[in-house]
Amino acid sequence: MKILEIEKLNMVFTTRGLNSAERVHVLRDIDLEIEQGEIMALVGESGCGKTTLGKIITGLLDPTSGTIKFNGNDIASRNKKQKREYRKSVQFIQQDSYAALNPVKKIYSSLYTPIKANNRKLKRAQIDALIVKYLEMVGLTPASLFLEKFPHQLSGGQRQRVLIARVLSLEPKLIVADEPISMIDVSLRLSILQLLIELNQKLGLTIVYITHDLSTVKYVVGEGRMAVMYLGEIVEYGKVKDVILQPVHPYTQALISSVSIPDPVIERNKPMIRLKSMEIPDIRHRCEGCGFTDRCLYADDACAAWKLENTYTEEHIVRCKNVQAIPPYAVLGEEKHE
Amino acid sequence: MGQDFIASFRNMTIDYVMKKTSLRAVNDLSLDIHRGGITAFVGESGSGKTTAVSALLQGISSPGKIVEGKVIYYGDEGEVDVAALKGEALRRYRWEQVSMVFQASQSTLNPLMTIYDQFYETAYYHGAVRSKEAFNKRLEELFDMVKLDVNRVRKAYPHQMSGGMKQRVMIAFALLLEPKLVILDEPTTALDVITQKYIFNQLMEINKRLNVTFLLLTHDIGIVAKAADYVAVMYAGSIMEYADVYTLFGKKLHPYTRGLINSTPSIIRSASEISPIPGMPPDIRNLPEGCPFGPRCPSCSERCRAEKPQLKEYAPGHWIACHLYGGEEA
Amino acid sequence: MKERFVGIFKAIGRFFVKLGNAIKRGVVCAARATGRFLANFWRSFRAFCGMIYSNKKAFAGAIILILFAFLAIFGRLIFPYDDKTSFADMYLKPSGEHWLGTDGMGRDLFDMIIHGTQDVMSIAIFTAFFTVGFGVLMGIISGYAGGWTDRIIGLISNVFMSLPQFPILLILSMFITIRDNFTLALILSVFSWPGLARSVRSQIMSLKERDFIQICSVMGVGRVHIIFTELLPNIMSFVAINFISSMKNAITASVGMMTLGIALFEPTNWGAIIVSARNSGAFAIPAARLCIIAPVVAIMLFQIGAILFSNGLDEAFNPRLRKN
């Protein structure tokens, strides 16, 4: 069953200058379906719009156009109570765990407030028990050690666990995790990812994992799916093993060939993908057609004006006009490609 | 010595001396740095890699101090004891012999000066400006090396450039006075993947072309695999293993090295091939007796708990600090 | 046209109903918060004292301020003031009987200053209370609501800020004389709230974009709750610092008001002592210099205490400094 369906979603930010208004089209015709209970990865470099999309999914931003269906119902046409339910069901884990916790409040009250706000009938003792339960669920044991601490007294990994506990305490169906490990120490990253995977498997939580780090995608998502974003659109979407091992879109190919592999023999012998330019262009000056046109070796004159369409196969969607002409690419070289 | 190597750490110990306590950031570190190669220091934050390498520039942040041992730089005029350099000699040594690209160094650019002015000022200060023309030519050469359009960049202010461009400007800046050794402290963190790869390709090319030695500090195993010739694995202030990159990754002898490599996610590994290192990162205020990695090591023995293993040459060019590979004589 | 006006009135009506509800909820929330605050008071108070004690500046400032508070409350009991004038004792030198000598009417200068402390302090506290209360309220409303509310409050505060204070007070002084400290404090705070409102507004505006506030709406935490339990604690130290520094400003300003003659002359008020000494030509009489110096020193001492304490508070509370 599909928990979330996004269709033709567009987002335009308007920034007002002194006497002019500038429109920035940050998300273009996003189509995305998320199955109940899956982990899906949303991958892209800075400025590709992945965080904006995450904020739209969690309801922090309203899209300019397009529909979002949650459990089959359009969220725009819901009444207040249903909206509240949707809000509660879709939660957000932010990137910077220090900024996401109120610096002057103890962990206990940071956790108490949202539980109380959503369950007004609960007594204090019941909430206390819940707080302890969720802190221990995310591996902060014994919970009593952490309740009276301020955010700055915890390590980055512990704070990230507190955030996850806070999100769990609202009993969500879908969690959007925005770069949950990018701000914490390398040695602690894997354990946070493990926790997310565990929550997915044990509680059946659906997770949208937003990241710039392709290396972790396969670890987190496993057999699931991933979407690659570039300058506001999803350029490639499909099963992780297809997208990573046989990328089709020239941007995905370039991205995957750039990820370093912790093995000097493979790393130094893998095929290179050349680009016309290394810099990501400014999204404000992006052409209406394919955003990758100026950097793509296979681009022709028609690409910049191409009407964005999804092509390739049903399971593996690629947004590229010349999809048939792109030579295949495989990280492990030719021998494993057959 | 000065032929093969460019610098040596000799039993260097660095303490951060505070009012009440003192922290041992680097513990009895000895290593020779190959001339012309890329030597990577890899370790988690707090492993002491930055502190150790800063000693090469007399740049240990206060209150850190070398309490034992020394750092030697093999210059054209013989051995230089870096810690003993003072005044004019130190000024000439820094940036003319050894320079550095700092972590997030984009913010070290002065926001109110054009790139040209910043380069000119430094070159002038070091007496490296013979004529305007010569300097302009040098600038062109430098920016060409990092693939930047000199006409676009020279008049630009830092805020007019992207992070990747600024980082390449900083690399050019480090190369300005033709140093023999450049320290790269996490040179590509906070940059996008494609930019990161591109910058490393340029760095490797520069390394070959100019025969300049690079010291690369990083926590990213993938980058080590991509760029390094030699690798020193650091943990809690000590070198655990040192070898050339193929041996290190191929053999994975030291338990910490093995753990580090096996815990690194990769696009070609499935989840079952990745396992985290158990336990908590070390607390350098409270290190165990014996091997610092002991508490997290799967093959920790009685001896490891009692006695700290020394860094020993296990095979030619391959040094390990572990009782498993100590040989019989110990 | 008519419909438009009706619409506007209705909108205004709705706004007030909403405002009323919000205030009601706010009061309930604030009451609860206060309850919790009191429950934790002793613990926090001890932690606070510890923090002040460990910061030299704050500690020195606190000692001075406590001294003044003590004098304001008990000073009149310990050093009773005799307002009997006797020209025979005019401008006596300091002695065992008169520690700071006497003024132009033969009154004991030391006793006068002690006696005046209470007035000076109460004006300062009232003014600080009004300034901070109104300024913070306006700042929060305008920073959090944004849009039109923000523009209107901004306009009002700009008008008040650009009013030339002295000429207006001069004109006012022709019509009214302020007889009590309460009114004096109100007049003083009319001119001082806009600055505070502006800085609170900018703090709220930046706080409201921070992750921990943004996430509140995803978690379904209500707006009133966000303001009182998430935002307010974050600006509390800032508010406390401003309270102290507006006390400091109020003292100087109130002296000015007395000199202008808007406020009623209370002979023992420090400002009044200076004014009467000046009027009786004390600048020319060497023996009378103490009548100027003593109240000035008292004002300066209080200001130093206030500055030290508020700087120390800033250091002690600033989370960025505290983090390490």
PDB file of all heavy atoms in Angstrom, chain A residues 60 84 87 91-92 94 98-100 102-105 113 118 166, chain C residues 43 211-212 214-215 217-220 225 229-230 233-234 323:
ATOM      1  N   LEU A  60       5.904  21.479   6.775  1.00  0.00           N
ATOM      2  CA  LEU A  60       6.515  22.741   7.201  1.00  0.00           C
ATOM      3  C   LEU A  60       6.358  23.801   6.127  1.00  0.00           C
ATOM      4  O   LEU A  60       6.351  24.989   6.402  1.00  0.00           O
ATOM      5  CB  LEU A  60       8.009  22.531   7.473  1.00  0.00           C
ATOM      6  CG  LEU A  60       8.418  22.301   8.905  1.00  0.00           C
ATOM      7  CD1 LEU A  60       9.899  22.004   8.977  1.00  0.00           C
ATOM      8  CD2 LEU A  60       8.087  23.500   9.758  1.00  0.00           C
ATOM      9  N   ARG A  84      -4.512  17.697  11.458  1.00  0.00           N
ATOM     10  CA  ARG A  84      -3.770  17.504  12.691  1.00  0.00           C
ATOM     11  C   ARG A  84      -3.240  16.072  12.768  1.00  0.00           C
ATOM     12  O   ARG A  84      -2.103  15.829  13.156  1.00  0.00           O
ATOM     13  CB  ARG A  84      -4.687  17.793  13.876  1.00  0.00           C
ATOM     14  CG  ARG A  84      -3.933  18.116  15.136  1.00  0.00           C
ATOM     15  CD  ARG A  84      -4.858  18.468  16.273  1.00  0.00           C
ATOM     16  NE  ARG A  84      -4.111  18.368  17.514  1.00  0.00           N
ATOM     17  CZ  ARG A  84      -3.240  19.276  17.934  1.00  0.00           C
ATOM     18  NH1 ARG A  84      -3.022  20.347  17.215  1.00  0.00           N
ATOM     19  NH2 ARG A  84      -2.570  19.116  19.045  1.00  0.00           N
ATOM     20  N   ARG A  87      -0.340  15.777  10.401  1.00  0.00           N
ATOM     21  CA  ARG A  87       0.828  16.391  11.024  1.00  0.00           C
ATOM     22  C   ARG A  87       1.514  15.452  11.998  1.00  0.00           C
ATOM     23  O   ARG A  87       2.721  15.304  12.016  1.00  0.00           O
ATOM     24  CB  ARG A  87       0.389  17.644  11.805  1.00  0.00           C
ATOM     25  CG  ARG A  87       0.251  18.859  10.952  1.00  0.00           C
ATOM     26  CD  ARG A  87       1.542  19.625  10.991  1.00  0.00           C
ATOM     27  NE  ARG A  87       1.626  20.578   9.903  1.00  0.00           N
ATOM     28  CZ  ARG A  87       1.628  21.881  10.080  1.00  0.00           C
ATOM     29  NH1 ARG A  87       1.514  22.398  11.273  1.00  0.00           N
ATOM     30  NH2 ARG A  87       1.763  22.685   9.049  1.00  0.00           N
ATOM     31  N   GLN A  91       6.600  12.882  10.717  1.00  0.00           N
ATOM     32  CA  GLN A  91       7.521  13.633  11.567  1.00  0.00           C
ATOM     33  C   GLN A  91       8.874  13.827  10.894  1.00  0.00           C
ATOM     34  O   GLN A  91       9.213  13.146   9.936  1.00  0.00           O
ATOM     35  CB  GLN A  91       7.688  12.936  12.914  1.00  0.00           C
ATOM     36  CG  GLN A  91       6.479  13.098  13.812  1.00  0.00           C
ATOM     37  CD  GLN A  91       6.185  14.540  14.160  1.00  0.00           C
ATOM     38  OE1 GLN A  91       7.093  15.336  14.394  1.00  0.00           O
ATOM     39  NE2 GLN A  91       4.917  14.895  14.156  1.00  0.00           N
ATOM     40  N   PHE A  92       9.631  14.762  11.445  1.00  0.00           N
ATOM     41  CA  PHE A  92      10.830  15.259  10.801  1.00  0.00           C
ATOM     42  C   PHE A  92      12.022  15.128  11.754  1.00  0.00           C
ATOM     43  O   PHE A  92      11.932  15.550  12.901  1.00  0.00           O
ATOM     44  CB  PHE A  92      10.573  16.728  10.462  1.00  0.00           C
ATOM     45  CG  PHE A  92      11.526  17.339   9.473  1.00  0.00           C
ATOM     46  CD1 PHE A  92      12.080  16.586   8.453  1.00  0.00           C
ATOM     47  CD2 PHE A  92      11.829  18.689   9.535  1.00  0.00           C
ATOM     48  CE1 PHE A  92      12.934  17.162   7.535  1.00  0.00           C
ATOM     49  CE2 PHE A  92      12.680  19.274   8.613  1.00  0.00           C
ATOM     50  CZ  PHE A  92      13.232  18.508   7.612  1.00  0.00           C
ATOM     51  N   GLN A  94      15.709  16.521  12.093  1.00  0.00           N
ATOM     52  CA  GLN A  94      16.533  17.545  11.455  1.00  0.00           C
ATOM     53  C   GLN A  94      18.009  17.192  11.500  1.00  0.00           C
ATOM     54  O   GLN A  94      18.463  16.368  12.283  1.00  0.00           O
ATOM     55  CB  GLN A  94      16.295  18.898  12.144  1.00  0.00           C
ATOM     56  CG  GLN A  94      14.934  19.460  11.822  1.00  0.00           C
ATOM     57  CD  GLN A  94      14.428  20.350  12.931  1.00  0.00           C
ATOM     58  OE1 GLN A  94      14.446  19.978  14.096  1.00  0.00           O
ATOM     59  NE2 GLN A  94      13.971  21.534  12.578  1.00  0.00           N
ATOM     60  N   TYR A  98      21.869  19.961  17.505  1.00  0.00           N
ATOM     61  CA  TYR A  98      22.016  21.003  18.526  1.00  0.00           C
ATOM     62  C   TYR A  98      20.978  22.091  18.300  1.00  0.00           C
ATOM     63  O   TYR A  98      20.342  22.571  19.226  1.00  0.00           O
ATOM     64  CB  TYR A  98      23.424  21.597  18.503  1.00  0.00           C
ATOM     65  CG  TYR A  98      23.651  22.540  19.655  1.00  0.00           C
ATOM     66  CD1 TYR A  98      23.678  22.068  20.967  1.00  0.00           C
ATOM     67  CD2 TYR A  98      23.804  23.902  19.448  1.00  0.00           C
ATOM     68  CE1 TYR A  98      23.844  22.917  22.021  1.00  0.00           C
ATOM     69  CE2 TYR A  98      23.979  24.759  20.516  1.00  0.00           C
ATOM     70  CZ  TYR A  98      23.993  24.263  21.798  1.00  0.00           C
ATOM     71  OH  TYR A  98      24.155  25.118  22.862  1.00  0.00           O
ATOM     72  N   ALA A  99      20.776  22.465  17.045  1.00  0.00           N
ATOM     73  CA  ALA A  99      19.806  23.516  16.731  1.00  0.00           C
ATOM     74  C   ALA A  99      18.376  23.032  16.910  1.00  0.00           C
ATOM     75  O   ALA A  99      17.473  23.824  17.101  1.00  0.00           O
ATOM     76  CB  ALA A  99      20.018  24.001  15.306  1.00  0.00           C
ATOM     77  N   ALA A 100      18.174  21.714  16.851  1.00  0.00           N
ATOM     78  CA  ALA A 100      16.816  21.193  16.900  1.00  0.00           C
ATOM     79  C   ALA A 100      16.294  21.056  18.326  1.00  0.00           C
ATOM     80  O   ALA A 100      15.132  20.750  18.533  1.00  0.00           O
ATOM     81  CB  ALA A 100      16.749  19.846  16.196  1.00  0.00           C
ATOM     82  N   ASN A 102      15.805  22.955  22.077  1.00  0.00           N
ATOM     83  CA  ASN A 102      15.842  24.263  22.729  1.00  0.00           C
ATOM     84  C   ASN A 102      17.003  24.300  23.726  1.00  0.00           C
ATOM     85  O   ASN A 102      17.041  23.515  24.669  1.00  0.00           O
ATOM     86  CB  ASN A 102      14.505  24.474  23.448  1.00  0.00           C
ATOM     87  CG  ASN A 102      14.299  25.917  23.834  1.00  0.00           C
ATOM     88  OD1 ASN A 102      15.266  26.658  24.022  1.00  0.00           O
ATOM     89  ND2 ASN A 102      13.063  26.330  23.943  1.00  0.00           N
ATOM     90  N   PRO A 103      17.956  25.208  23.520  1.00  0.00           N
ATOM     91  CA  PRO A 103      19.182  25.170  24.329  1.00  0.00           C
ATOM     92  C   PRO A 103      18.957  25.456  25.804  1.00  0.00           C
ATOM     93  O   PRO A 103      19.785  25.075  26.624  1.00  0.00           O
ATOM     94  CB  PRO A 103      20.063  26.252  23.697  1.00  0.00           C
ATOM     95  CG  PRO A 103      19.135  27.130  22.950  1.00  0.00           C
ATOM     96  CD  PRO A 103      18.005  26.257  22.505  1.00  0.00           C
ATOM     97  N   VAL A 104      17.851  26.127  26.163  1.00  0.00           N
ATOM     98  CA  VAL A 104      17.663  26.452  27.577  1.00  0.00           C
ATOM     99  C   VAL A 104      16.760  25.449  28.285  1.00  0.00           C
ATOM    100  O   VAL A 104      16.448  25.621  29.452  1.00  0.00           O
ATOM    101  CB  VAL A 104      17.090  27.881  27.769  1.00  0.00           C
ATOM    102  CG1 VAL A 104      18.016  28.899  27.160  1.00  0.00           C
ATOM    103  CG2 VAL A 104      15.706  27.999  27.180  1.00  0.00           C
ATOM    104  N   LYS A 105      16.329  24.404  27.550  1.00  0.00           N
ATOM    105  CA  LYS A 105      15.450  23.443  28.203  1.00  0.00           C
ATOM    106  C   LYS A 105      16.151  22.099  28.378  1.00  0.00           C
ATOM    107  O   LYS A 105      16.945  21.688  27.540  1.00  0.00           O
ATOM    108  CB  LYS A 105      14.178  23.251  27.377  1.00  0.00           C
ATOM    109  CG  LYS A 105      13.273  24.460  27.478  1.00  0.00           C
ATOM    110  CD  LYS A 105      12.107  24.352  26.529  1.00  0.00           C
ATOM    111  CE  LYS A 105      11.075  23.365  27.034  1.00  0.00           C
ATOM    112  NZ  LYS A 105       9.908  23.357  26.123  1.00  0.00           N
ATOM    113  N   THR A 113       6.972  18.393  26.257  1.00  0.00           N
ATOM    114  CA  THR A 113       6.093  19.333  25.562  1.00  0.00           C
ATOM    115  C   THR A 113       5.320  18.704  24.399  1.00  0.00           C
ATOM    116  O   THR A 113       4.095  18.800  24.377  1.00  0.00           O
ATOM    117  CB  THR A 113       6.927  20.535  25.068  1.00  0.00           C
ATOM    118  OG1 THR A 113       7.669  21.034  26.158  1.00  0.00           O
ATOM    119  CG2 THR A 113       6.041  21.614  24.496  1.00  0.00           C
ATOM    120  N   ASN A 118       0.050  16.676  22.244  1.00  0.00           N
ATOM    121  CA  ASN A 118      -0.735  15.772  21.412  1.00  0.00           C
ATOM    122  C   ASN A 118      -1.627  14.827  22.207  1.00  0.00           C
ATOM    123  O   ASN A 118      -2.504  14.193  21.642  1.00  0.00           O
ATOM    124  CB  ASN A 118       0.189  14.956  20.508  1.00  0.00           C
ATOM    125  CG  ASN A 118       0.714  15.790  19.367  1.00  0.00           C
ATOM    126  OD1 ASN A 118      -0.003  16.094  18.437  1.00  0.00           O
ATOM    127  ND2 ASN A 118       1.964  16.214  19.467  1.00  0.00           N
ATOM    128  N   ARG A 166      12.158  11.735  20.474  1.00  0.00           N
ATOM    129  CA  ARG A 166      11.085  12.728  20.485  1.00  0.00           C
ATOM    130  C   ARG A 166      10.109  12.470  19.343  1.00  0.00           C
ATOM    131  O   ARG A 166       8.903  12.560  19.500  1.00  0.00           O
ATOM    132  CB  ARG A 166      11.696  14.128  20.363  1.00  0.00           C
ATOM    133  CG  ARG A 166      10.666  15.224  20.403  1.00  0.00           C
ATOM    134  CD  ARG A 166      11.294  16.569  20.621  1.00  0.00           C
ATOM    135  NE  ARG A 166      11.947  17.058  19.413  1.00  0.00           N
ATOM    136  CZ  ARG A 166      12.490  18.262  19.321  1.00  0.00           C
ATOM    137  NH1 ARG A 166      12.473  19.086  20.346  1.00  0.00           N
ATOM    138  NH2 ARG A 166      13.062  18.639  18.215  1.00  0.00           N
TER     139      ARG A 166
ATOM    140  N   ARG C  43      16.133  25.663  43.650  1.00  0.00           N
ATOM    141  CA  ARG C  43      17.248  25.012  42.979  1.00  0.00           C
ATOM    142  C   ARG C  43      17.912  25.969  41.985  1.00  0.00           C
ATOM    143  O   ARG C  43      19.125  26.144  41.970  1.00  0.00           O
ATOM    144  CB  ARG C  43      16.761  23.762  42.253  1.00  0.00           C
ATOM    145  CG  ARG C  43      17.805  22.709  42.145  1.00  0.00           C
ATOM    146  CD  ARG C  43      17.197  21.326  41.991  1.00  0.00           C
ATOM    147  NE  ARG C  43      15.886  21.384  41.345  1.00  0.00           N
ATOM    148  CZ  ARG C  43      15.576  20.725  40.242  1.00  0.00           C
ATOM    149  NH1 ARG C  43      16.483  19.987  39.654  1.00  0.00           N
ATOM    150  NH2 ARG C  43      14.377  20.775  39.727  1.00  0.00           N
ATOM    151  N   ASP C 211      15.681  25.818  14.113  1.00  0.00           N
ATOM    152  CA  ASP C 211      15.121  24.478  13.967  1.00  0.00           C
ATOM    153  C   ASP C 211      14.187  24.080  15.098  1.00  0.00           C
ATOM    154  O   ASP C 211      13.150  23.496  14.875  1.00  0.00           O
ATOM    155  CB  ASP C 211      16.262  23.448  13.881  1.00  0.00           C
ATOM    156  CG  ASP C 211      16.922  23.451  12.517  1.00  0.00           C
ATOM    157  OD1 ASP C 211      16.463  24.228  11.673  1.00  0.00           O
ATOM    158  OD2 ASP C 211      17.866  22.682  12.301  1.00  0.00           O
ATOM    159  N   PHE C 212      14.569  24.409  16.340  1.00  0.00           N
ATOM    160  CA  PHE C 212      13.767  23.881  17.441  1.00  0.00           C
ATOM    161  C   PHE C 212      12.414  24.554  17.550  1.00  0.00           C
ATOM    162  O   PHE C 212      11.501  24.008  18.163  1.00  0.00           O
ATOM    163  CB  PHE C 212      14.529  23.916  18.777  1.00  0.00           C
ATOM    164  CG  PHE C 212      14.842  25.293  19.306  1.00  0.00           C
ATOM    165  CD1 PHE C 212      13.945  25.936  20.132  1.00  0.00           C
ATOM    166  CD2 PHE C 212      16.029  25.905  18.988  1.00  0.00           C
ATOM    167  CE1 PHE C 212      14.241  27.190  20.634  1.00  0.00           C
ATOM    168  CE2 PHE C 212      16.329  27.150  19.489  1.00  0.00           C
ATOM    169  CZ  PHE C 212      15.436  27.806  20.298  1.00  0.00           C
ATOM    170  N   GLN C 214      10.839  25.722  14.591  1.00  0.00           N
ATOM    171  CA  GLN C 214      10.182  25.215  13.393  1.00  0.00           C
ATOM    172  C   GLN C 214       9.562  23.843  13.620  1.00  0.00           C
ATOM    173  O   GLN C 214       8.442  23.578  13.204  1.00  0.00           O
ATOM    174  CB  GLN C 214      11.203  25.120  12.262  1.00  0.00           C
ATOM    175  CG  GLN C 214      11.762  26.457  11.856  1.00  0.00           C
ATOM    176  CD  GLN C 214      11.354  26.815  10.457  1.00  0.00           C
ATOM    177  OE1 GLN C 214      11.588  26.080   9.522  1.00  0.00           O
ATOM    178  NE2 GLN C 214      10.728  27.959  10.335  1.00  0.00           N
ATOM    179  N   ILE C 215      10.320  22.987  14.294  1.00  0.00           N
ATOM    180  CA  ILE C 215       9.867  21.605  14.471  1.00  0.00           C
ATOM    181  C   ILE C 215       8.608  21.556  15.342  1.00  0.00           C
ATOM    182  O   ILE C 215       7.817  20.633  15.236  1.00  0.00           O
ATOM    183  CB  ILE C 215      11.005  20.735  15.072  1.00  0.00           C
ATOM    184  CG1 ILE C 215      10.742  19.249  14.833  1.00  0.00           C
ATOM    185  CG2 ILE C 215      11.201  20.985  16.529  1.00  0.00           C
ATOM    186  CD1 ILE C 215      10.983  18.794  13.436  1.00  0.00           C
ATOM    187  N   SER C 217       5.876  23.162  15.149  1.00  0.00           N
ATOM    188  CA  SER C 217       4.619  23.120  14.411  1.00  0.00           C
ATOM    189  C   SER C 217       4.403  21.751  13.776  1.00  0.00           C
ATOM    190  O   SER C 217       3.275  21.300  13.632  1.00  0.00           O
ATOM    191  CB  SER C 217       4.578  24.229  13.367  1.00  0.00           C
ATOM    192  OG  SER C 217       5.541  23.989  12.385  1.00  0.00           O
ATOM    193  N   VAL C 218       5.509  21.090  13.413  1.00  0.00           N
ATOM    194  CA  VAL C 218       5.368  19.723  12.897  1.00  0.00           C
ATOM    195  C   VAL C 218       4.868  18.799  14.013  1.00  0.00           C
ATOM    196  O   VAL C 218       4.065  17.905  13.791  1.00  0.00           O
ATOM    197  CB  VAL C 218       6.720  19.191  12.358  1.00  0.00           C
ATOM    198  CG1 VAL C 218       6.586  17.756  11.902  1.00  0.00           C
ATOM    199  CG2 VAL C 218       7.200  20.060  11.221  1.00  0.00           C
ATOM    200  N   MET C 219       5.333  19.070  15.239  1.00  0.00           N
ATOM    201  CA  MET C 219       4.957  18.199  16.357  1.00  0.00           C
ATOM    202  C   MET C 219       3.610  18.579  16.949  1.00  0.00           C
ATOM    203  O   MET C 219       3.171  18.005  17.941  1.00  0.00           O
ATOM    204  CB  MET C 219       6.030  18.262  17.444  1.00  0.00           C
ATOM    205  CG  MET C 219       7.367  17.731  16.974  1.00  0.00           C
ATOM    206  SD  MET C 219       8.567  17.544  18.299  1.00  0.00           S
ATOM    207  CE  MET C 219       8.631  19.183  18.982  1.00  0.00           C
ATOM    208  N   GLY C 220       2.961  19.582  16.372  1.00  0.00           N
ATOM    209  CA  GLY C 220       1.635  19.963  16.835  1.00  0.00           C
ATOM    210  C   GLY C 220       1.614  20.734  18.137  1.00  0.00           C
ATOM    211  O   GLY C 220       0.641  20.697  18.873  1.00  0.00           O
ATOM    212  N   HIS C 225       1.832  28.214  23.356  1.00  0.00           N
ATOM    213  CA  HIS C 225       2.814  27.387  24.037  1.00  0.00           C
ATOM    214  C   HIS C 225       4.224  27.675  23.523  1.00  0.00           C
ATOM    215  O   HIS C 225       5.170  27.778  24.292  1.00  0.00           O
ATOM    216  CB  HIS C 225       2.457  25.923  23.808  1.00  0.00           C
ATOM    217  CG  HIS C 225       3.014  25.035  24.839  1.00  0.00           C
ATOM    218  ND1 HIS C 225       2.273  24.566  25.882  1.00  0.00           N
ATOM    219  CD2 HIS C 225       4.263  24.547  25.008  1.00  0.00           C
ATOM    220  CE1 HIS C 225       3.032  23.825  26.646  1.00  0.00           C
ATOM    221  NE2 HIS C 225       4.252  23.795  26.136  1.00  0.00           N
ATOM    222  N   THR C 229       6.710  28.854  26.333  1.00  0.00           N
ATOM    223  CA  THR C 229       7.644  27.872  26.877  1.00  0.00           C
ATOM    224  C   THR C 229       8.868  27.630  26.002  1.00  0.00           C
ATOM    225  O   THR C 229       9.828  27.034  26.460  1.00  0.00           O
ATOM    226  CB  THR C 229       6.957  26.520  27.160  1.00  0.00           C
ATOM    227  OG1 THR C 229       6.613  25.938  25.909  1.00  0.00           O
ATOM    228  CG2 THR C 229       5.717  26.693  27.995  1.00  0.00           C
ATOM    229  N   GLU C 230       8.821  28.050  24.750  1.00  0.00           N
ATOM    230  CA  GLU C 230      10.009  27.822  23.914  1.00  0.00           C
ATOM    231  C   GLU C 230      10.776  29.126  23.677  1.00  0.00           C
ATOM    232  O   GLU C 230      11.989  29.180  23.823  1.00  0.00           O
ATOM    233  CB  GLU C 230       9.624  27.208  22.564  1.00  0.00           C
ATOM    234  CG  GLU C 230       8.826  25.928  22.655  1.00  0.00           C
ATOM    235  CD  GLU C 230       9.665  24.716  23.063  1.00  0.00           C
ATOM    236  OE1 GLU C 230      10.883  24.721  22.873  1.00  0.00           O
ATOM    237  OE2 GLU C 230       9.058  23.760  23.600  1.00  0.00           O
ATOM    238  N   PRO C 233      11.808  31.628  27.420  1.00  0.00           N
ATOM    239  CA  PRO C 233      12.991  31.268  28.211  1.00  0.00           C
ATOM    240  C   PRO C 233      14.306  31.612  27.503  1.00  0.00           C
ATOM    241  O   PRO C 233      15.297  31.912  28.152  1.00  0.00           O
ATOM    242  CB  PRO C 233      12.867  29.750  28.378  1.00  0.00           C
ATOM    243  CG  PRO C 233      11.436  29.457  28.173  1.00  0.00           C
ATOM    244  CD  PRO C 233      10.929  30.468  27.208  1.00  0.00           C
ATOM    245  N   ASN C 234      14.264  31.612  26.181  1.00  0.00           N
ATOM    246  CA  ASN C 234      15.486  31.913  25.447  1.00  0.00           C
ATOM    247  C   ASN C 234      15.892  33.377  25.506  1.00  0.00           C
ATOM    248  O   ASN C 234      17.040  33.702  25.257  1.00  0.00           O
ATOM    249  CB  ASN C 234      15.344  31.483  23.991  1.00  0.00           C
ATOM    250  CG  ASN C 234      15.789  30.069  23.775  1.00  0.00           C
ATOM    251  OD1 ASN C 234      16.964  29.776  23.846  1.00  0.00           O
ATOM    252  ND2 ASN C 234      14.839  29.184  23.564  1.00  0.00           N
ATOM    253  N   LYS C 323      28.445  27.165  26.721  1.00  0.00           N
ATOM    254  CA  LYS C 323      28.551  25.854  26.093  1.00  0.00           C
ATOM    255  C   LYS C 323      29.895  25.187  26.399  1.00  0.00           C
ATOM    256  O   LYS C 323      29.984  23.991  26.574  1.00  0.00           O
ATOM    257  CB  LYS C 323      28.408  26.033  24.576  1.00  0.00           C
ATOM    258  CG  LYS C 323      27.861  24.826  23.862  1.00  0.00           C
ATOM    259  CD  LYS C 323      27.562  25.218  22.428  1.00  0.00           C
ATOM    260  CE  LYS C 323      27.954  24.139  21.472  1.00  0.00           C
ATOM    261  NZ  LYS C 323      27.831  24.576  20.093  1.00  0.00           N
TER     262      LYS C 323
END
